[in-house]
Structures are given as structure tokens and as C-alpha cells.
Amino acid sequence: MTETEAGAVGIKVWSDYVCPFCMLAEGPLHEATRDLDVDIEWMPFELRPHPTPTLRPEDEYLPEIWARSVYPMARRMKVDITLPTVSPQPYTRLAFEGYQYAAEHGKAAAYTPRVLRAFFQENRDIGQLDVLTDIASELGLDAAGFSEALTAGTYTDTHQEALRTAKAYRISVVPTLIIGERHRLEGVPTAAQIRKAVLDTQAEQAVARGTACGIDGC
């Protein structure tokens, strides 16, 4: 949504739980919006859906990209993050179905950051049901209900519909932020970039509501 009844600016954030840049984007997002009226919605995007092979930390690519890009950015941002040793890296479909459960039970905002921390700070295999159930329980969700729902595939269709939404928005990289349905930021944005997009959207919404004049008139 671009505007809630209260006038909040909608921010859709596409991420995948095995993308370190998605975790790094969380800080600027919250810094930019801490005093603004926003509605942040985490959106799923699987970088490597089954049966596409996932990456292995012992191969050359991951250590190289972490040394060249992830670790320098994390140091600048003062974020504690480490290349997980889980090999091969987990598929994230099950974790995303867990997100749908969390969203239905009022824990959407807490779930995605917690899963990212579990993988990148605690080296936990977030492709495993028991790990995800522990996270759900920690967030105050019903562990038995969560586990049963994921085992039964209760949220499989909901997740697949969310992936179709990603396709409709032409998402090809994560993180991708779409602010107010008009402003698109790909990669790890700065807090200033996010804040400008939110404030621009607020101004656009004021014009659309007829409570302000724009450069094209009233």
C-alpha cells in the first residue's frame, strides 16, 4: 500500500535471508524512518529457489565477495556480521513460509530481522524447521502451531503468491526498497536516500489529497 488510513508512507522491502546486504540495509532503514510515519512491509525474494544449487562458503566466490564488499561495508556501518559456515547455504522457502505465519500472528516486523541475525550472527541453519521454530518461540509465537503449519505447508500458497508479487514488481536483486510505490532503491541505501524518498512521497501524497500545491499547480 502507498498510504494507510493514517497517512503513513508504505515501504516494501524485498530481501532474502541468505543475503548479507539485506541485513546491512536494516540499519539505514530504521535510522531514516525512526521519527517518520511509515508502514514497513518485508517482502520475500528467493535468490536461489530449489532446485537451484545454493552457494558454499568453502568455495571461492563467497569469501571473495565478503572480503571485497560485505566486511568493509559492515565495518563502516559498525554491524557485527560474519560469513556463516553452514554449507551449502540453506534454501529459504521454509523460512519465508514461517514469515507468513509470523505476519498472520502480528510478528512480521520482528521475524525478518531475527532470522537474518540467526544466520549472520549466530551461524544457525535457517533452513531447518527446528531452528525456525526456536526463533518463532523466542518471538512469542506458538511453537507447536508454527511447526505444524510449516510441516503441513499451510503457507505455501501464500508464499508463492508473494513471489508472484516480486515478479510483478520486477524484483531481480535484494535488497530492493519501493517507497510509496514510486521511489525504487536497489542495494544498500543510505539513510539519507531513504529519508528523502519518504519525505518526497509525503509531499506527493499531500498534493494528491488536495492539502498542498505542487509545481504543476493546485
Side-chain angles (χ1 to χ4, degrees):
M1 71 185 80
T2 59
E3 181 179 0
T4 67
E5 291 182 1
V9 172
I11 304 178
K12 291 183 171 69
V13 185
W14 275 270
S15 64
D16 194 1
Y17 297 125
V18 293
C19 168
F21 298 108
C22 293
M23 181 170 171
L24 293 176
E26 185 187 359
L29 175 61
H30 291 299
E31 179 184 345
T33 61
R34 64 183 182 276
D35 60 341
L36 299 177
D37 189 10
V38 296
D39 179 17
I40 299 171
E41 183 179 7
W42 294 95
M43 308 290 291
F45 182 82
E46 293 183 49
L47 287 166
R48 295 169 192 87
H50 187 271
T52 303
T54 61
L55 301 178
R56 302 171 63 92
E58 63 267 29
D59 292 340
E60 182 178 347
Y61 172 75
L62 280 175
E64 192 277 332
I65 194 68
W66 275 70
R68 176 166 51 87
S69 299
V70 179
Y71 282 129
M73 183 179 291
R75 284 193 292 270
R76 290 195 302 271
M77 301 175 71
K78 296 180 172 56
V79 176
D80 176 21
I81 188 171
T82 303
L83 173 61
T85 62
V86 178
S87 183
Q89 290 197 329
Y91 290 107
T92 52
R93 175 191 61 81
L94 196 64
F96 278 126
E97 292 185 18
Y99 167 79
Q100 298 298 339
Y101 180 98
E104 189 170 284
H105 293 81
K107 295 293 184 178
Y111 182 88
T112 289
R114 183 64 188 92
V115 174
L116 287 167
R117 291 198 305 275
F119 189 53
F120 289 114
Q121 293 183 335
E122 300 167 8
N123 201 35
R124 300 172 74 182
D125 186 349
I126 57 171
Q128 297 298 317
L129 178 60
D130 60 338
V131 172
L132 296 172
T133 302
D134 284 346
I135 291 171
S137 179
E138 178 187 321
L139 296 177
L141 294 167
D142 177 60
F146 180 91
S147 179
E148 290 168 7
L150 267 60
T151 300
T154 303
Y155 294 91
T156 297
D157 289 345
T158 306
H159 173 56
Q160 292 304 315
E161 180 60 32
L163 295 181
R164 287 190 286 272
T165 298
K167 186 175 182 180
Y169 277 86
R170 303 186 307 280
I171 304 300
S172 60
V173 299
V174 289
T176 292
L177 286 71
I178 294 184
I179 299 171
E181 300 291 345
R182 297 189 182 190
H183 303 275
R184 186 183 188 104
L185 301 172
E186 295 181 343
V188 180
T190 65
Q193 288 174 317
I194 298 171
R195 190 172 183 86
K196 182 180 185 302
V198 172
L199 294 175
D200 286 349
T201 300
Q202 288 179 334
E204 292 158 4
Q205 290 178 354
V207 171
R209 290 194 301 266
T211 59
C213 294
I215 60 174
D216 296 323
C218 294

